[in-house]
Amino acid sequence: MSRHAFFKRWAVLGGTTLALALGSSATWAEQYTVGFVPKLVGIPYFAAMKQGMDKAGKQFDMKIVYQGPSSADVAQQVNIVSSLINQGVDAIGVAANSPTAFGPMVKKARDKNIVFYSTDSQVDADGNQLRVSQVNDKALGYKVIDVLAAQLKANTGKTSGKVAFVSGGSTATNLNTWIKFMKARLADKYPDIELVDVQYGGEDVTKATNITNQLISAYPDLDGIVGVNTTSVPGAAQAVLTSGKKGQIAVTGITDPNTIRPYVMNGTVNKVVLWNPIDLGYLTGWGVKQLLEGKSFKPVNDVPGLGKVKYDEQTKTLLLGPPMVIDKSNIQMDF
Amino acid sequence: MATPASSGLNWPSWINVSVRELLLVVGVIVITAGISIGSSGNFWAASNLTNLMISTAITLVPAIGMTVIIVTGGIDVSVGSMLGLVAVAGGTAFEYGLGLAAATPVFLIAGAILGLINGALITYGRVPPVIATLGTLSVYRAAAFLFLGNHWITMIPPSVTETMVLTQPLGVPVAVWIALVLLALGMVFLARLPRGRHIFAIGNNENAARLNGIPVERIKLAAYTLTGVLVGVAALMSLGHSPMVQTTTGTGFELTVIAAVVLGGTELTGGRGSLLGTLLGAILVGLVQNGVVLLHIQPFWSGVVLGVIILVSVGSATVRRND
Amino acid sequence: MNRIDWTGRAPVLLVISLITLIGVSIGAPGIWSTDNLFAMGVLAVEIGIIALGQTFVINTGGIDLSVGAIFALAQVVMGLAMVGGVPWPLAVMLGLGVGVLCGLVNGLATVWLRVPAIIVTLATMFAFSGLALVITSGIDVSGFPEGFAVLGQGTIGSVPLQIVAIYLPLLVLLAVVQWRTRFGRLVHLTGTNTLAARLTGIRIGRVQIATFVIAGGLAALAGAINASRLTTARPDAGATDNLISIAIVVLGGSSIFGGKGSVVGTALATLVIALVNYGLSFNNLNAIYQSGLIGLILIVAVLMQNIMLSIQQRRAAAT
Amino acid sequence: MASFELRGVGKRFGGVRALDDIDIRFESGRVHALLGENGAGKSTLIKILTGAVTPTNGEIRVDDTTVTIDSPRRAQELGIAAVYQEPTVYPHMTVRENLFMGQELRGRSGMLDRRAMTAAAKPLLARLRLDPSILSRRMSSLSIGYQQLVLITQALLRDTRLLIFDEPTSILSREETARLFEIIGELREAGTAIVYITHRMEEIHQIADEVTVLTNGERRGTYPIAEVSTERMLSLMTGGHGSARDREPASETVQRERRPMLEVTNLSVAGHCEDISWQLPAGCITGLYGLVGSGRSEAALALYGHIRPSAGRIQLDGQTIRPRHPADAIKLGLGYLPEDRQFQGVFLDKSLEQNLTSNTLPGFSNVFDLLDLAGMRRFTTELMNHYNIKAPGADTSIGDLSGGNQQKGLFSRWANLPLKALILDEPTRGIDVGAKDEIHRFIRHLADRGMAVGVISSDLDEVLAVSDRIIVMREGRIADTFEHGPHSAETVLASAIGSADDDNRAAHHDTTEESA
């Protein structure tokens, strides 16, 4: 290797580091800086939430710092939160990969008078000042099951049959909560629908596809599959599609339009349930602004652009609203 | 020589190899039987067999290249990230409206480039293979994030699934045929062509190979590049299997591939290995991952079972060596 | 002597850390506070402890792909024990015992089966992390007694306890073990030439097993600190630590073929990695750039060393 | 007529001059012997010719045209091949594949044509009296001697015009050697240029046409063989400090009580040796002579606990022992210096201190396992002085030392232990004459101290020079035991190689029991 190449290598390395460092150099203006740590970066759902938060940031003069781990790893989230605290931001929030892991960080943030909030997937800690919830977990779980039942009825003419759930990470709190409510709804209202299995595919569509394929084989008389997170619904749909069971096995669940669009268009999936993550981000931004300015929430708040939003004093929870059903009519939404 | 030389029996090499493979065949049969019984025959459902075949094929294709690399005495732990980055490149081509035929070269070329980078670092940069590919494992993954951002590629043309999975000449999906043809070519190449034997020669004794005028660096570079191309093929197959590209696509895939090769009896010290073994290893890994759901148990067990099978398999090889 | 090899990777590493340091400080001058240093330290401690164990394994010529899995398994075991009412010090001992046991399994399998460590630990990686998932049904464990928090959240003065009371003493201890004890010698001799070591009467099997046990125990210790810091034990924790710990050890100047390397080099590399991670994070750059940059640094450091070696040789040849 | 000529060729490694402006010419139809101690530059010369290193200066001419040999491939194209001292083989591949590596014969489809290769190899195998059935055997299943013959076959197979032999006979039996000389003769007739490197003077007179002596990278002179005597060559080579051959055999004075110290009864190691019985008396040097592959090293390794014997009893100082690990053997008072310095002996990048103390570490560590570094340094320096190990200091990496000094280091590692018996396996293989002499002297000191010493060697000169008694092994069995007294080289060799009828073997075998 020539001497020239030797220096070139150094230049590249140094340049990269410096460029990365300089490109993001913070401007410490007199505006509030709000940190938001999603479950992971690189996925459309949280990108949509960020879009909403940025909108709120622009509107309410806040600087939004969006930074998250590359996989749904709570340890990485805690590290990022720790760095944000030391950066001296004014508020920090997370969509928690684990509800219990943030206790010490919440305390540290509160000691430094930093507002701590959680959104999308909540944090269990006394110091948590605000929870922004996309939907009432119960309402969501119920809604998904209702959609499933309707679909079963459309397919087979009766609200009975065997169904299976495919979830994401086995440790994700919000997914587990929804599963809990979905089970409750089945038991209460649809005793003839039998839940045969719950399997976990992680945040990986390939794994979800494989697992659904195996579920279909393991239970040849399966009538429906519920995907509990964004990747498992398309995974399940793909498996149903390739095994030639389109129209026989009902597929629904919780996912976003961008991800599920091809399967809605080709008819493998009729309806899925979600909320508007852009609105969720926006609501989070608004809520944080209120806290930063020391305002308190009323039981029903007038949020500009969103309308009436409920607040639960006891759990300090802002609730975005009822779940939204996505089908062919509104599949063109971009998030 | 101080180390005990091979036993006095001096069996021809092919018999020695087939003992290992025989054991694997027995393993495959036993596990298949176990799963068939445990799943009350559901294992044999057409959709399950298709799924099993496809996932085995996706593992097998890069495993062919990995076998070649390991036989030369190297290793490539970056194939998972490579698969992700290749899928990003190919998926982007699909997004630009390219059809399957037009996009296929994108997959192959992207794979070749990434493999070539690995190979160049190892051969010309003299970075140990584990280190070089450990580095590119994270670099390629970061690159996939960089290109994809917060976006997932969902608009994969249905023709990919149609061609790879749903078209099933003689009841076997096209992707599996591709894998089998590549495997057969690889076997002929390794066993019957001089270049194939040179690959073994490098793993046996790199210096001697150099002295015999075998272009060691070029062959190694080719082995890593070839693996890249095969990862490209696997990426295309996997988009047929689950048509979506995430930033995390392929995470952990390298472990599956290496496990298949190791189970197949290819020795990590280089110089010894067989593609037939790799095929059996890939099937075994596929079976283990396939079995857990069919047996109505949590997938967590698959790791435990896979780990134990690898240990038992390499352990039995040792026991045989001692006899 | 097993000192840091100043002709090797160490200078490259220093230059890299200097560049990172400058870049990071320009990007966010606020980084130079004790808070940040401690946060960085806390971040470094867990992976740093794992890397210390990995150093011994790699120096004997082995490799341990299962440390991350042991990290997770040990923490969920102690977590479940605490939730089940076992006093926390006892639960921690139990977790460390699990780590040691896992290391023993790795070591015995490597030595008895005479199979490369990379295969054995690939298998046990699957098995240990599978076990961690199985015993927890894949769900996080939390709700630990107050006292347990001291490991990961305690402070001495204002300095995090795990830095001064765990990591640094451990580093000193292991440095002494490596440089001044018979065991340290045996590790390096075994790693340099296994056959010669055996023929000179060194029980290489025991040395190898001991290094795996150390790696297992230290991974469990790191797991305990991590669980205490996050007040949560996770069956899927530490998945990336297997490879990162190897990267750190190699960055720290250890030869992947064994026989060369030092825990001090590993500690230095840990610091660089922590600096890159925390520095970029402090500059609000995503985690994925961090791991990408670490991969790049790893490749560049080894490449640079090779290039410097060949320049040295050429210069020597020229004179 | 082909000719290969070096003109003013030199090579430096770093600041070290390995070869200095050499002029030398090899011509077809002539056997050119190269003679020199280790480090004299012979191997560098070979490497330059075979394209493994490129010379720093000078010119290489083939058939009076200047060429550059920048790769092994290029050397091959020029018709240059080498048969190395250490066989460079592909252990897991068949003999056929080893023979044709890089030069495979292909069928019309481009695939390997095994039948053609077998056909091409057969006549050559026949010339070397090798059975064609070995073609399908794995290389690792052959003994080192056989592997060497396969490599010679390989060189013959290639269209070689300059064939270099690098000490080929050091591991060949006399029969094989004679066969090899015949082949070399045939090749010479056929017009091949041959370079023959050896330590063995008698061989030079047997086969060489001319001889070049190298010392310290310089050419001392080239002589037609008729014009130079063995003594002249020796003095050119060594600068006049004698050789092992000149030393008197062991004196009678050491033959004292001869208490049996290490006794082996009916020892067998599967696949290597069978039913071996011998004993090493205290205060006595026993030469264990046998050709490579005769099971000597394996027997020793089994005693030493490195490999498991399949049968037999080992007694040390009257007590039956069963070491399961070399560490057990050392604790019991039994040591072994392995034959392969590089792979079994040294810790290459480690310091002399680390190397020399590697088997005495328990003695330097306290209850906390802490080492007495100062003491170890002192100890190393003492060993260096005592055993005349030439090195800048205890911190010097052993890899930087000459082979002789490395070997003295390894020897000192054992010599200083309180052992009852010590087996030295090829203690002077591949080192220069000076160091060889020194080691022989040290071995004598050990025996004088009352240790039972066994010296395994395939160098007959060495065995004769150093031993008080000689045990000959052949094909995994004890062939003969010669008690002290003047042993004629002829008888010992004859015993090692064996006569055609195997019936005698039992009779020879009994000798051991009688001497016990």
Side-chain angles (χ1 to χ4, degrees), chain A residues 60 130 132 282-292 295 297 318:
Chain A
F60 308 123
L130 173 66
V132 184
Y282 180 79
L283 177 63
T284 308
W286 175 85
V288 171
K289 178 74 177 180
Q290 306 306 305
L291 284 178
L292 285 170
K295 294 179 189 160
F297 299 103
L318 274 175

Side-chain angles (χ1 to χ4, degrees), chain A residues 77-96:
Chain A
Q77 279 191 305
V78 170
N79 295 344
I80 293 168
V81 168
S82 159
S83 146
L84 286 170
I85 291 174
N86 288 331
Q87 282 181 47
V89 295
D90 302 294
I92 295 171
V94 295

Side-chain angles (χ1 to χ4, degrees), chain C residues 13-289:
Chain C
L13 203 61
L14 282 180
V15 173
I16 290 173
S17 40
L18 208 69
I19 294 174
T20 317
L21 222 62
I22 294 169
V24 163
S25 333
I26 294 173
I31 199 167
W32 295 113
S33 68
T34 48
D35 274 359
N36 279 316
L37 288 180
F38 292 155
M40 209 183 304
V42 166
L43 218 160
V45 161
E46 287 151 27
I47 185 69
I49 290 176
I50 298 178
L52 289 179
Q54 186 76 268
T55 309
F56 279 88
V57 177
I58 288 182
N59 287 351
T60 47
I63 197 163
D64 192 341
L65 295 177
S66 72
V67 280
I70 296 176
F71 175 90
L73 182 59
Q75 74 171 211
V76 297
V77 166
M78 59 183 98
L80 288 176
M82 281 185 282
V83 170
V86 177
W88 74 268
L90 222 65
V92 170
M93 294 318 278
L94 185 70
L96 294 182
V98 167
V100 165
L101 200 68
C102 292
L104 202 61
V105 169
N106 283 336
L108 290 177
T110 307
V111 171
W112 282 350
L113 298 181
R114 274 180 278 148
V115 171
I118 191 168
I119 298 185
V120 169
T121 54
L122 178 75
T124 54
M125 177 201 68
F126 284 123
F128 295 155
S129 58
L131 273 179
L133 286 166
V134 167
I135 60 172
T136 55
S137 308
I139 293 165
D140 288 359
V141 183
S142 60
F144 305 145
E146 287 281 303
F148 180 62
V150 72
L151 278 181
Q153 297 171 43
T155 50
I156 293 179
S158 62
V159 188
L161 173 126
Q162 64 261 54
I163 298 176
V164 280
I166 302 179
Y167 184 77
L168 290 178
L170 195 66
L171 178 62
V172 171
L173 177 75
L174 292 180
V176 170
V177 165
Q178 191 170 47
W179 290 347
R180 295 296 309 271
T181 69
R182 192 167 65 99
F183 173 72
R185 274 290 169 95
L186 297 185
V187 164
H188 275 247
L189 290 178
T190 305
T192 307
N193 187 339
T194 314
L195 184 56
R198 184 174 156 96
L199 287 175
T200 198
I202 295 171
R203 293 185 187 274
I204 50 170
R206 287 187 197 173
V207 175
Q208 284 164 339
I209 291 171
T211 58
F212 278 110
V213 167
I214 291 175
L218 290 182
L221 176 63
I225 297 173
N226 181 262
S228 161
R229 181 166 65 90
L230 301 182
T231 61
T232 305
R234 298 160 303 136
D236 56 350
T240 55
D241 292 352
N242 298 320
L243 296 182
I244 293 180
S245 67
I246 294 167
I248 289 178
V249 172
V250 171
L251 261 184
S254 292
S255 161
I256 196 77
F257 307 111
K260 222 168 112 188
S262 79
V263 287
V264 175
T266 299
L268 191 69
T270 309
L271 205 63
V272 172
I273 297 282
L275 191 70
V276 169
N277 272 341
Y278 191 82
L280 293 195
S281 175
F282 198 76
N283 280 279
N284 297 325
L285 285 163
N286 265 329
I288 194 63
Y289 296 111

Side-chain angles (χ1 to χ4, degrees), chain B residues 183-269:
Chain B
L183 181 78
L185 287 178
M187 285 169 80
V188 170
F189 169 72
L190 280 188
R192 291 271 176 265
L193 285 178
R195 260 297 176 263
R197 301 318 291 167
H198 294 169
I199 286 166
F200 282 87
I202 292 170
N204 267 278
N205 191 337
E206 200 173 309
N207 284 327
R210 265 198 201 97
L211 288 174
N212 281 341
I214 293 167
V216 174
E217 270 66 36
R218 279 224 312 275
I219 292 180
K220 282 190 180 176
L221 193 67
Y224 286 94
T225 312
L226 170 84
T227 304
V229 174
L230 292 174
V231 168
V233 175
L236 194 54
M237 291 177 175
S238 95
L239 286 190
H241 182 47
S242 58
M244 193 200 282
V245 184
Q246 302 170 258
T247 40
T248 51
T249 294
T251 306
F253 181 59
E254 63 277 354
L255 297 176
T256 315
V257 173
I258 294 172
V261 175
V262 164
L263 261 178
T266 298
E267 294 194 7
L268 281 179
T269 40

Side-chain angles (χ1 to χ4, degrees), chain B residues 2 10 192 197-198 204 212, chain D residues 90 92 97 104 112 141 344:
Chain B
N10 296 317
R192 291 271 176 265
R197 301 318 291 167
H198 294 169
N204 267 278
N212 281 341
Chain D
Y90 307 100
H92 306 311
E97 287 175 333
E104 296 82 359
L112 294 168
S141 70
Q344 303 175 319

Side-chain angles (χ1 to χ4, degrees), chain D residues 24 26 31-38 40-47 49-50 81-85 163-170 180-181 184 194-201 203-204 207-208 210-212 214 237:
Chain D
I24 199 165
F26 308 115
V31 177
H32 195 132
L34 270 185
L35 197 59
E37 293 192 36
N38 278 63
K42 294 170 303 185
S43 46
T44 311
L45 192 69
I46 301 174
K47 282 179 185 161
L49 280 169
T50 53
V83 174
Y84 293 97
Q85 182 180 4
L163 182 52
I164 302 162
F165 289 94
D166 187 2
E167 301 197 32
T169 56
S170 64
L180 175 68
F181 286 178
I184 291 177
I194 288 161
V195 177
Y196 192 90
I197 294 163
T198 186
H199 273 129
R200 299 185 180 175
M201 304 290 169
E203 290 184 344
I204 291 179
I207 63 158
E210 54 200 344
V211 58
T212 294
L214 293 176
M237 222 172 107

Side-chain angles (χ1 to χ4, degrees), chain C residues 1-3 176 179-186 188-190 192-205 258-261 313 316-319, chain D residues 14-15 301 304-306 324-328 330 338 342-350 353-354 357-359 361-362 365 368-371 373 376 413-414:
Chain C
M1 290 306 302
N2 313 325
R3 301 255 152 75
V176 170
W179 290 347
R180 295 296 309 271
T181 69
R182 192 167 65 99
F183 173 72
R185 274 290 169 95
L186 297 185
H188 275 247
L189 290 178
T190 305
T192 307
N193 187 339
T194 314
L195 184 56
R198 184 174 156 96
L199 287 175
T200 198
I202 295 171
R203 293 185 187 274
I204 50 170
K260 222 168 112 188
Q313 276 164 6
T319 48
Chain D
L301 286 169
Y304 189 51
H306 181 62
R324 308 204 132 229
H325 189 282
D328 294 338
I330 294 169
Q342 196 174 350
F343 291 106
Q344 303 175 319
V346 295
F347 301 100
L348 211 53
D349 339 309
K350 297 290 167 192
E353 184 236 349
Q354 299 211 35
T357 56
S358 62
N359 59 356
L361 289 177
S365 58
F368 299 111
D369 211 39
L370 286 170
L371 289 169
L373 293 182
M376 290 163 74
R413 187 150 99 186
W414 292 110

